[in-house]
Amino acid sequence: MGETVIPLTDLRSLARVPVIPSTLAPPTGHLVDRRGRALRDLRISVTDRCNFRCSYCMPKAVFDKTHVFLPHDDLLSFEEITRLARMFVDHGVQKIRLTGGEPLLRRHLERLVEMLAELRTPEGEPLDLTLTTNASLLARKAQSLKDAGLRRVTVSLDALDDAVFRRMNDMDFPVASVLEGIEAALAAGLGPVKVNMVVQRGVNEHEIVAMARHFREAHGQRVVLRFIEYMDVGASNGWRMDQVVPSAEVLEKLRTVAPLDALAAATPGETAQRWAWRDGRGEIGLISSVTQAFCGDCNRARLSTEGKLYHCLFAQSGHDLRALLRGGASEAQVSAAIGALWQQRDDRYSELRGAAQATGGGPRVEMSYIGG
Ligand code: SAM
């Protein structure tokens, strides 16, 4: 009663089947798009389902019993994911992140991890293979994921206060189980663990200091806590600019905990600005995708659960790679299509966000579908 129901604009079917280039240039590992950005990072959504209903991502009012998730036959199989991942790696991808939805809900995920862990870059290096999870199943699965070849995990946790967290995940899921998952990941050797907190004005901003204190005192350098500005992804969360807590404000609050020093980016295209506690108790990350857009060096591509390729988290339509795979295109043809699509890429949504909001923007695919 009294709940706001925001209709979900279903953009999942909006995808073009990519054109296969007439000449099939072999991959060089050095693709660049129209803005000179390299392709280095592939995020793969392995399921569009989640067992949480965070209001900023999959609000209950929209993702309710009537919401139709993708049928199993529509999902890419592990073999299809690995075939595509291999092509992306040949084009220069060095890092793969499994995401969703909640990736640990995909059955036998360890098998996929094993398959991806066997891939090598053109230089013969293994991939930086990682996963983002709400940690609800992590305590149970951390060791088997590590054994399968996973390198690291990122855990989402928006508050330490149990009542605040239960309200935010809207499934009454307790903080203690997430903390257990983090412990299990560290014990299995999946560290340092990144912990992501999405900060929303009036919802959990008062938890910033408690989160910072807890992780620097309990884990020091073994956990990197990252504060994410609440973003206008998808069309279902009713995002408003006044709900965003700018990273600059987060930093001010953190400085009340202990002195911090700025660190240089570890890798190009990194999403977080890095800060270190001066007393050596670890690192903090600030992800300012709203107030300081980082489209300029974005090197990420996203593969949806059913094989659609997106070049931007805020995209309105994708490129249907599954149609090529299942339509009988050869590996050389699919690979050439992926290369040509990256070379045509020109998007920079976050930099244009102000103008997009002013003109109404337009609907965007949901994060739970293309992967966070
Ligand atoms: N279920 C997994 C999890 O909870 O980490 C993976 C998928 S989730 C979509 C990936 C990340 O996106 C999470 O850290 C989540 O907090 C973040 N996220 C989702 N919606 C967001 C929004 N509107 N603004 C900022 N971050 C968001």
Side-chain angles (χ1 to χ4, degrees):
M1 290 294 279
E3 267 179 320
T4 322
V5 177
I6 304 157
L8 179 63
T9 323
D10 196 338
L11 297 180
R12 291 177 295 188
S13 57
L14 261 189
R16 281 178 288 271
V17 178
V19 176
I20 297 172
S22 47
T23 44
L24 302 181
T28 61
H30 299 290
L31 272 185
V32 285
D33 72 5
R34 289 198 191 159
R35 298 185 176 273
R37 299 171 292 192
L39 171 61
R40 292 283 176 258
D41 186 333
L42 179 64
R43 303 198 172 185
I44 304 175
S45 172
V46 293
T47 176
D48 59 339
R49 292 164 197 261
C50 189
N51 51 348
F52 284 13
R53 284 292 177 274
C54 306
S55 57
Y56 57 76
C57 188
M58 292 182 78
K60 250 185 197 166
V62 177
F63 293 88
D64 59 7
K65 283 193 212 74
T66 63
H67 179 74
V68 183
F69 289 97
L70 295 171
H72 192 264
D73 286 350
D74 282 2
L75 312 191
L76 289 185
S77 68
F78 290 169
E79 286 71 23
E80 288 171 325
I81 292 176
T82 308
R83 276 178 72 193
L84 286 174
R86 185 176 301 117
M87 297 177 207
F88 277 93
V89 170
D90 289 343
H91 278 303
V93 161
Q94 297 167 345
K95 174 173 171 182
I96 290 186
R97 175 177 298 281
L98 299 179
T99 178
E102 172 46 44
L104 299 187
L105 292 182
R106 179 86 185 243
R107 290 180 69 199
H108 310 304
L109 188 73
E110 294 85 345
R111 178 69 198 122
L112 176 64
V113 170
E114 257 169 26
M115 292 161 77
L116 296 174
E118 280 172 18
L119 299 180
R120 293 290 175 274
T121 68
E123 295 76 34
E125 297 296 324
L127 302 177
D128 183 9
L129 186 55
T130 170
L131 173 144
T132 302
T133 175
N134 62 25
S136 54
L137 300 170
L138 190 57
R140 232 184 291 165
K141 288 186 173 256
Q143 192 59 56
S144 57
L145 289 165
K146 173 69 183 178
D147 295 344
L150 193 71
R151 292 234 178 147
R152 294 180 294 110
V153 287
T154 297
V155 169
S156 305
L157 176 65
D158 295 325
L160 265 192
D161 181 288
D162 202 48
V164 174
F165 183 61
R166 284 177 191 256
R167 209 164 37 241
M168 287 185 79
N169 65 57
D170 212 5
M171 293 303 276
D172 211 24
F173 196 82
V175 170
S177 303
V178 177
L179 297 179
E180 259 174 52
I182 294 171
E183 290 291 350
L186 290 169
L190 289 169
V193 172
K194 288 180 184 163
V195 174
N196 282 350
M197 170 178 177
V198 177
V199 186
Q200 258 183 298
R201 176 84 68 207
V203 177
N204 63 342
E205 60 187 308
H206 57 288
E207 284 288 293
I208 293 169
V209 166
M211 288 279 284
R213 285 219 168 94
H214 172 78
F215 285 107
R216 63 179 242 110
E217 277 154 31
H219 295 295
Q221 298 183 356
R222 302 192 312 152
V223 168
V224 178
L225 177 59
R226 302 165 355 135
F227 298 90
I228 305 182
E229 287 178 348
Y230 173 39
M231 292 185 283
D232 49 336
V233 277
S236 64
N237 61 12
W239 180 91
R240 292 196 325 264
M241 187 65 199
D242 62 7
Q243 297 168 316
V244 178
V245 179
S247 291
E249 202 178 311
V250 174
L251 186 60
E252 282 317 298
K253 288 192 198 295
L254 295 176
R255 287 190 196 281
T256 66
V257 175
L260 283 157
D261 295 314
L263 294 174
T267 50
E270 201 166 55
T271 49
Q273 295 158 302
R274 301 168 59 221
W275 293 80
W277 297 113
R278 194 169 297 161
D279 59 10
R281 281 181 179 260
E283 211 179 281
I284 289 288
L286 297 175
I287 303 183
S288 320
S289 27
V290 178
T291 60
Q292 278 173 275
F294 38 77
C295 306
D297 54 5
C298 175
N299 54 19
R300 284 174 288 287
R302 292 181 148 82
L303 188 60
S304 81
T305 316
E306 53 177 347
K308 289 175 183 156
L309 172 66
Y310 293 86
H311 289 143
C312 179
L313 186 52
F314 301 94
Q316 293 181 320
S317 66
H319 309 279
D320 192 352
L321 297 183
R322 191 191 64 187
L324 292 185
L325 279 186
R326 295 191 184 170
S330 70
E331 207 125 302
Q333 287 176 319
V334 182
S335 171
I338 291 170
L341 287 171
W342 187 267
Q343 284 169 324
Q344 289 154 21
R345 175 189 190 230
D346 194 28
D347 48 61
R348 54 188 183 110
Y349 173 82
S350 290
E351 285 178 3
L352 303 174
R353 175 178 281 110
Q357 295 294 329
T359 57
R364 297 175 289 271
V365 283
E366 296 299 313
M367 196 156 172
S368 52
Y369 168 68
I370 60 171

